[in-house]
Amino acid sequence: MSSLPALTPSQWTLFLSPPAYLFIFRLALPTSPSAIRLVQTREALSAVHCTLIASLSAYLLYERRADWLVSPLERPKAQDLDKNLKIVTARSEFANALTALETGYLIQDAGVLLLIARLRAREGKTTLAKKLDWRILGWHHGGLIGALGLLQWYIARGREKAILVVVMLMLMNASTPLGISHWFLSTFRPSKRRSIATTLAAYLTAYAICRVYLLYWILGIFGAHTNNTAIETFRQLRWQCQLGTATIIGTNTSWLVRGLRKFARQHVVGVTGKAKSG
């Protein structure tokens, strides 16, 4: 009688993380939670998860720095991107498990968003579709679950590439806890204007570093392996990678600009106007 194939750590993580996160989420709730309590608990769990993922990603990249960090003295002669670069071929079961954990969390969070929308629809006597956050559920979660799900398919077949680059991208999670802090203060402590302004400024700074500059940094790191600049590296990417990279940069930059305009309108222009009128 043949035995069942053993699961890898990343596969165990993928299968167990959604129910584990749901269990933690439910454990933090009272018996009959309101919609707003569900939202607060979801945001708190999101802050914990993002801190965990960003910390573990930074630790892994530090431990595996020999596979991606190139000093100026070690730079090779200029060459085209190819599949034999160390940053592309390096493998890590720990990295695979991190991407599985991120996938599992997003699956769980999508379910929680549906639950919140259902409860809000019931409380407001309206339809579920009107209460769904389509921007987060569709654009963000749907896209990431699809992309990370495809990555898990490749990992299961031992065909994953550039896994350390994916881990670098997960450093974007580092800005989220600051955004949640700002959201909590502006929503539930609106009188604390100085704290609201401080957390928004901190969040926008972290967002600019972790979600906009990070992509330029990754292209620069990638280019160091071929002795090319970040722009030259982008031009050498396959068109699918160019499209994905450009979409992320464009989306994140657009959101950053809107955030900066909000900060200027509420905490610079508004304060200056009040001071002059006073």
Side-chain angles (χ1 to χ4, degrees):
M1 184 176 180
S2 60
S3 59
L4 293 175
L7 295 178
T8 64
S10 62
Q11 290 171 332
W12 277 114
T13 303
L14 180 62
F15 295 145
L16 295 179
S17 55
Y21 272 119
L22 279 174
F23 175 76
I24 296 171
F25 179 78
R26 186 64 187 89
L27 202 63
L29 292 172
T31 304
S32 300
S34 62
I36 193 60
R37 181 58 186 271
L38 289 175
V39 172
Q40 291 173 333
T41 305
R42 173 189 170 267
E43 295 292 343
L45 184 58
S46 176
V48 172
H49 167 78
C50 289
T51 302
L52 176 65
I53 286 291
S55 300
L56 291 177
S57 297
Y59 170 77
L60 173 62
L61 291 171
Y62 175 77
E63 288 294 310
R64 297 293 298 272
R65 60 192 181 279
D67 291 322
W68 60 270
L69 187 60
V70 179
S71 70
L73 297 177
E74 297 173 335
R75 289 198 172 195
K77 293 181 180 180
Q79 56 180 304
D80 292 333
L81 299 180
D82 61 54
K83 62 183 179 181
N84 296 319
L85 294 178
K86 187 163 55 173
I87 194 173
V88 175
T89 59
R91 291 190 171 186
S92 167
E93 189 59 49
F94 186 18
N96 292 347
L98 278 181
T99 65
L101 182 63
E102 180 77 349
T103 308
Y105 168 78
L106 289 169
I107 292 172
Q108 170 272 155
D109 196 49
V112 170
L113 285 171
L114 286 171
L115 177 63
I116 292 173
R118 180 181 178 184
L119 186 55
R120 280 179 164 173
R122 186 185 305 167
E123 292 177 350
K125 295 182 180 180
T126 185
T127 61
L128 175 63
K130 290 183 178 180
K131 291 299 181 179
L132 280 175
D133 192 333
W134 293 105
R135 181 180 64 84
I136 295 178
L137 191 59
W139 171 254
H140 184 270
H141 283 32
L144 284 179
I145 290 173
L148 289 171
L150 181 61
L151 175 62
Q152 300 310 311
W153 186 87
Y154 278 108
I155 289 173
R157 286 154 181 75
R159 295 171 53 193
E160 73 276 12
K161 298 292 183 181
I163 194 66
L164 294 182
V165 176
V166 178
V167 174
M168 290 176 183
L169 289 171
M170 292 199 299
L171 292 173
M172 290 186 183
N173 285 289
S175 66
T176 301
L178 288 170
I180 291 173
S181 298
H182 170 70
W183 166 82
F184 179 84
L185 288 172
S186 60
T187 305
F188 302 104
R189 302 290 188 273
S191 61
K192 297 183 178 294
R193 292 190 55 81
R194 180 172 296 182
S195 297
I196 291 171
T198 301
T199 53
L200 180 56
Y203 173 54
L204 292 174
T205 301
Y207 192 98
I209 296 171
C210 299
R211 294 182 182 261
V212 179
Y213 173 75
L214 176 68
L215 293 158
Y216 179 83
W217 177 76
I218 292 174
L219 288 172
I221 291 294
F222 216 101
H225 288 258
T226 58
N227 202 21
N228 289 313
T229 65
I231 301 300
E232 290 169 339
T233 300
F234 177 80
R235 290 172 178 169
Q236 291 180 11
L237 294 175
R238 292 180 298 173
W239 71 267
Q240 297 94 331
C241 296
Q242 286 182 334
L243 178 61
T245 303
T247 300
I248 297 173
I249 292 175
T251 301
N252 289 357
T253 301
S254 174
W255 195 98
L256 177 62
V257 170
R258 290 199 299 269
L260 290 172
R261 291 177 61 185
K262 174 184 175 181
F263 180 83
R265 184 174 63 252
Q266 295 183 354
H267 304 290
V268 178
V269 177
V271 173
T272 304
K274 288 182 179 179
K276 287 182 179 180
S277 62

